[in-house]
């Protein structure tokens, strides 16, 4: 069933590629949705009928496995086409297929009339197949196939409108930045193979668990041990999950169609980095230096991106920087050793961020591609369903008490505060960073909602005729709104007298070394921290509502609008020097002067030799007599003056 789960969307992609144009728009859209629906049905069936009732193995983990055969065998190293559904991959496949199906349904309405309709759905189906391969693979090599597959699909979908310079440039940018990160991941895989002697995740976890916890310090970075592996994996994570320093591609990727932003750049692909951190948690838990770097990178990304989101006027760019910021919180949680909290936030984030992106798509659809918040306003009266469903997503993301985002974010904050793997005051510092990020999140999301749905209609609304989106687009919004409100039940805190299901379900996969075991925070501490978190969210929402109702066209500081000039700095420090090296060094210096010069010189020499020989073949008898006479003189001279 796991194999069929991947093959269903793959078959859909192939069929659409071969015969999609002959099917027509309606049948092509239905086929794409059916392919993902089959995958979703199988995912829920295997999860509830096989995984949950399965008996734990010797390591206490429930698994459903399928082996398709051996991929290759070199010496003692073997790699299989093996798939495994365990608690971690089980949670991932549920929202990949479930949320993916809702986004497919939405896209049938959003992409109606698009010239590349069939091509779009073929790539979208192919992406789902690649993403399922990534999370179901039981070894690093097969996972890397899915990892690269989603990267290729992302390139194709960002560049869907490839005739637009902005989209083509964004697709290239995403592709290049992801390849930089992938270089680190490849090195990490090679290093793990030499150390663990296997690419299988279960074998790597057993091997890593037997290793001593490495010493905290920079000496471990280049020692070639678990810390080196962890930092190389982190480089791959920064590319795929848009973290510092490789985060700049994600906001530009919004040049693609909005359903792509919802599926790939909010709910699924960008969370692959967090999934990989959780999958290799045993490696990281024995490499404290790598954990510190992971936590700092995540915390810095979360805060930096939240400030940038406050200064953006493009509705999709605000959500894109919000995604980068929330991914930062997830990565930070993993760095604090709270892998289950990170995955819990991945899950709830998939609900409300997909909802917000699709809601933004509904708004953009109604305003005929207008994305500037400053030109909107007053849309609530024209689009009530979009408004109220987006309100659920806004409050969930802002951390409004008792909604899904509140519980998952609260667990991230609590686990960071009480972390035993981070040294000294770093845990408390990152907790403060998380609170500031949460405050900013509540403020910029309130700004987005006020400028979009409230106040008086501005240019784009007053001069157009906005209307509510059709049922095929609003129905997914309603389902995602319900999940955004009630999704927190997956991880209700112990302080509420509940047993956090997500933590208990995933815990067999996270084995904490004895060096890092600690007493859990008391319920009193948990409630106090929860109260602080709720107060921060409510303050941000209320303050933002009060301020932006009075100053909807407030100008953010220039530094935030310019995104700290990070793109310009990269262009100046990296892109231009590399371009100059390529143009003047490799092209003009090596290719033109050396390679072309050598080839041209040989050609010119042969041409000159040919011209000389041609002169000797003139056809005149006197010329041949002179040549015979000269040859005779040379032979005679040899015998007269030669060595004999």
């Amino acid at each position: 069933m796991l194999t069929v789960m991947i093959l269903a969307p793959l078959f859909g992609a192939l069929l659409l590629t071969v015969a999609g144009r002959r099917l027509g728009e309606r049948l092509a859209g239905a086929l794409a949705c059916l392919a993902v629906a089959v995958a979703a049905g199988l995912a829920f069936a295997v999860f509830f009928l096989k995984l949950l009732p399965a008996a734990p193995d010797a390591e206490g983990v429930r698994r459903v496995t399928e082996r398709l055969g051996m991929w290759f065998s070199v010496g003692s190293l073997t790699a299989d086409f093996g798939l495994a559904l365990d608690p971690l991959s089980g949670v991932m496949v549920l929202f990949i297929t479930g949320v993916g199906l809702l986004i497919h349904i939405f896209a049938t309405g959003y992409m109606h009339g698009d010239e590349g309709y069939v091509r779009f759905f073929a790539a979208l189906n192919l992406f789902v197949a690649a993403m399922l391969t990534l999370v179901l693979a039981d070894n690093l090599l097969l996972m890397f196939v899915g990892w690269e597959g989603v990267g290729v699909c992302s390139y194709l979908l960002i560049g869907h409108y490839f005739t637009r310079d902005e989209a083509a440039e964004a697709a290239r940018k995403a592709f290049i930045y992801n390849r930089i990160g992938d270089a680190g991941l490849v090195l990490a895989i090679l290093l793990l193979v030499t150390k663990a002697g296997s690419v299988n995740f279960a074998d790597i976890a057993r091997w890593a668990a037997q290793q001593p916890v490495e010493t905290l310090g920079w000496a471990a970075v280049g020692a070639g041990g678990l810390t080196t592996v962890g930092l190389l994996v982190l480089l791959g994570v920064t590319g795929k999950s848009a973290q510092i320093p490789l985060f700049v591609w994600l906001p530009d990727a919004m040049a693609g169609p909005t359903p792509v932003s919802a599926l790939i750049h909010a709910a699924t692909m960008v969370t692959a980095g967090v999934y990989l951190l959780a999958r290799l948690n045993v490696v990281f838990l024995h490499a404290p230096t790598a954990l510190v770097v992971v936590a700092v990178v995540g915390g810095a990304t979360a805060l930096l991106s939240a400030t940038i989101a406050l200064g953006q006027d493009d509705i999709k760019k605000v959500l894109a920087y919000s995604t980068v910021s929330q991914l930062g919180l997830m990565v930070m949680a993993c760095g604090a050793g709270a892998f289950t909290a990170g995955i819990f936030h991945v899950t709830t984030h998939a609900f409300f961020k997909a909802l917000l992106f699709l809601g933004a798509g509904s708004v953009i659809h109604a305003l005929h591609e207008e994305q500037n918040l400053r030109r909107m306003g007053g849309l609530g009266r024209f689009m009530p369903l979009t408004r109220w469903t987006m309100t659920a997503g806004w409050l969930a993301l802002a951390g409004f008490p008792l909604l899904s985002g509140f519980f998952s974010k609260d667990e991230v904050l609590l686990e960071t505060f009480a972390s035993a793997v981070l040294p000294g005051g770093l845990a408390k510092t990152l907790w403060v960073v998380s609170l500031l990020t949460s405050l900013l999140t509540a403020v910029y999301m309130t700004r987005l909602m006020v400028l979009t749905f409230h106040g008086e209609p501005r240019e784009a609304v007053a001069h157009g005729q906005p209307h509510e989106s059709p049922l095929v687009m609003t129905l997914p919004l309603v389902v995602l709104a319900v999940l955004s409100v009630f999704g927190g039940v997956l991880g209700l805190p112990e302080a509420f007298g509940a047993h956090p299901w997500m933590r208990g379900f995933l815990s067999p996969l996270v084995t904490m070394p004895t060096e890092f075991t600690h007493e859990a925070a008391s319920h009193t501490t948990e409630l106090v921290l929860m109260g602080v978190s709720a107060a921060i969210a409510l303050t941000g929402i209320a303050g933002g509502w009060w301020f932006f109702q009075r100053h909807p066209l407030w100008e953010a500081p220039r530094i935030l609008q310019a995104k700290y000039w990070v793109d310009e700095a990269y262009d100046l420090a990296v892109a231009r020097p590399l371009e100059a090296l390529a143009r003047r060094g490799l092209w003009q210096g090596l290719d033109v002067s050396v390679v072309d010069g050598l080839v041209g010189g040989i050609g010119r020499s042969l041409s000159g030799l040919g011209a000389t020989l041609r002169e000797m073949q003139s056809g005149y008898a006197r010329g041949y007599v002179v040549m015979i006479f000269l040859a005779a003189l040379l032979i005679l001279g040899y015998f007269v003056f030669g060595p004999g």
Side-chain angles (χ1 to χ4, degrees):
M1 293 178 79
L2 302 181
T3 308
V4 179
M5 197 189 305
I6 296 173
L7 290 179
L10 181 61
F11 179 74
L14 292 174
L15 193 56
L16 286 171
T17 303
V18 174
R21 289 184 181 278
R22 277 171 281 179
L23 292 176
E25 186 178 294
R26 180 168 294 185
L27 277 178
L31 174 64
C33 292
L34 178 63
V36 180
V38 170
L42 289 172
F44 279 84
V46 177
F47 185 88
F48 287 104
L49 301 180
K50 287 195 169 185
L51 182 64
L52 290 184
D57 59 17
E59 295 158 344
V61 180
R62 285 175 283 195
R63 288 190 178 94
V64 177
T65 60
E66 285 184 13
R67 182 178 181 273
L68 306 181
M70 181 183 290
W71 184 355
F72 67 82
S73 177
V74 179
S76 60
L77 177 65
T78 59
D80 295 334
F81 284 107
L83 304 175
L85 189 79
D86 59 15
L88 179 56
S89 55
V91 171
M92 295 291 290
V93 296
L94 289 185
F95 71 76
I96 289 169
T97 55
V99 175
L101 176 60
L102 293 173
I103 294 173
H104 270 70
I105 294 171
F106 179 93
T108 58
Y110 186 87
M111 298 300 289
H112 173 63
D114 189 278
E115 290 182 357
Y117 188 92
V118 173
R119 172 166 50 86
F120 172 83
F121 276 102
L124 214 58
N125 266 195
L126 184 61
F127 168 80
V128 174
M131 191 69 201
L132 288 173
T133 303
L134 192 158
V135 299
L136 287 173
D138 73 352
N139 64 75
L140 272 169
L141 293 185
L142 190 55
M143 184 225 68
F144 191 70
V145 172
W147 184 277
E148 289 301 297
V150 296
V152 171
C153 294
S154 174
Y155 171 79
L156 296 174
L157 289 165
I158 295 170
H160 178 74
Y161 302 122
F162 58 85
T163 55
R164 303 176 186 173
D165 291 341
E166 180 192 11
E169 180 64 27
R172 284 195 295 270
K173 188 174 183 178
F175 190 82
I176 292 171
Y177 275 83
N178 274 273
R179 297 296 77 70
I180 295 172
D182 292 351
L185 183 56
V186 169
L187 293 175
I189 292 173
L190 293 174
L191 193 53
L192 267 177
V193 169
T194 60
K195 295 288 183 182
S198 174
V199 292
N200 186 277
F201 286 123
D203 293 340
I204 291 172
R206 290 188 205 100
W207 168 80
Q210 296 170 356
Q211 307 304 306
V213 176
E214 295 186 353
T215 306
L216 179 64
W218 296 113
V221 173
L226 292 175
T227 301
T228 309
V229 171
L231 293 176
L232 288 171
V233 169
L234 175 61
L235 181 57
V237 172
T238 59
K240 193 66 75 183
S241 294
Q243 298 294 289
I244 290 175
L246 302 178
F247 70 100
V248 293
W249 68 269
L250 183 55
D252 288 1
M254 299 302 112
T258 303
V260 174
S261 307
L263 178 62
I264 298 181
H265 304 123
T268 54
M269 186 191 83
V270 292
T271 62
V274 183
Y275 166 79
L276 184 59
L277 291 175
R279 176 60 72 191
L280 296 176
N281 69 85
V282 185
V283 172
F284 280 93
L285 287 171
H286 287 74
T289 306
L291 280 176
V292 169
V293 177
V294 169
V296 171
V297 166
T301 304
L303 184 58
L304 180 82
S305 302
T307 59
I308 295 176
L310 193 58
Q312 303 306 303
D313 292 330
D314 184 315
I315 187 171
K316 287 177 67 177
K317 288 287 181 70
V318 174
L319 295 176
Y321 278 106
S322 169
T323 299
V324 176
S325 179
Q326 297 303 306
L327 287 168
L329 289 180
M330 300 168 201
V331 170
M332 186 194 71
C334 293
F339 296 95
T340 56
I343 294 298
F344 183 27
H345 199 47
V346 164
T347 307
T348 61
H349 181 263
F351 300 151
F352 53 71
K353 191 52 66 68
L355 167 62
L356 289 167
F357 265 113
L358 295 187
S362 180
V363 169
I364 294 168
H365 184 266
L367 296 181
H368 307 288
E369 303 303 315
E370 179 58 67
Q371 296 184 197
N372 193 328
L373 290 167
R374 291 177 174 277
R375 293 170 55 82
M376 300 180 185
L379 270 175
R381 70 193 69 172
F382 304 105
M383 308 178 70
L385 196 53
T386 300
R387 172 193 182 183
W388 289 115
T389 51
M390 280 192 73
T391 298
W394 156 45
L395 295 177
L397 174 57
F400 191 85
L402 305 184
L403 301 190
S404 62
F406 170 77
F407 289 115
S408 60
K409 201 180 296 184
D410 178 68
E411 186 162 339
V412 169
L413 268 62
L414 172 66
E415 294 291 339
T416 303
F417 181 87
S419 174
V421 305
L422 297 177
L426 182 59
K428 304 299 182 292
T429 303
L430 289 175
W431 177 72
V432 173
V433 167
S434 305
L435 287 180
L436 290 174
T437 302
S438 299
L439 178 64
L440 288 167
T441 302
V443 173
Y444 68 66
M445 282 307 302
T446 303
R447 173 176 179 261
L448 182 148
M449 293 297 292
V450 170
L451 265 64
T452 304
F453 294 108
H454 299 276
E456 292 301 316
R458 291 184 289 278
E459 300 166 56
V461 181
H463 297 159
Q465 294 182 334
H467 54 81
E468 187 58 273
S469 297
L471 180 64
V472 74
M473 293 172 66
T474 53
L475 183 61
L477 297 182
V478 173
V479 176
L480 288 169
V482 172
L483 292 172
S484 299
V485 172
F486 299 106
V489 297
L490 297 173
L492 291 176
E494 292 181 6
F496 280 22
H499 177 68
W501 179 83
M502 182 75 80
R503 191 191 303 171
F505 186 59
L506 296 176
S507 59
L509 288 168
V510 182
T511 306
M512 193 75 74
T514 54
E515 287 87 336
F516 299 136
T517 54
H518 62 94
E519 294 292 330
S522 68
H523 289 174
T524 303
T525 304
E526 189 174 355
L527 287 172
V528 169
L529 295 179
M530 196 180 296
V532 173
S533 178
I536 288 289
L538 293 175
T539 301
I541 293 171
W545 185 269
W546 178 85
F547 183 81
F548 292 114
Q549 285 279 9
R550 288 161 178 75
H551 309 284
L553 299 181
W554 168 77
E555 287 277 354
R558 176 65 182 148
I559 190 172
L560 300 184
Q561 294 181 36
K563 299 163 283 186
Y564 296 101
W565 294 283
V566 174
D567 273 317
E568 288 77 3
Y570 282 2
D571 185 56
L572 190 65
V574 180
R576 291 188 187 181
L578 286 178
E579 184 182 3
L581 175 65
R583 184 181 296 278
R584 297 173 186 170
L586 298 179
W587 177 43
Q588 295 177 345
L590 181 63
D591 189 30
V592 175
S593 300
V594 178
V595 177
D596 287 358
L598 181 62
V599 173
I602 293 173
R604 286 191 294 273
S605 300
L606 292 175
S607 178
L609 179 62
T612 303
L613 294 175
R614 188 168 59 248
E615 291 296 327
M616 297 169 66
Q617 298 289 329
S618 63
Y620 294 108
R622 61 178 180 273
Y624 298 135
V625 170
V626 171
M627 290 173 62
I628 293 171
F629 177 71
L630 291 175
L633 286 178
L634 286 174
I635 294 171
L636 181 62
Y638 175 79
F639 285 109
V640 173
F641 302 105

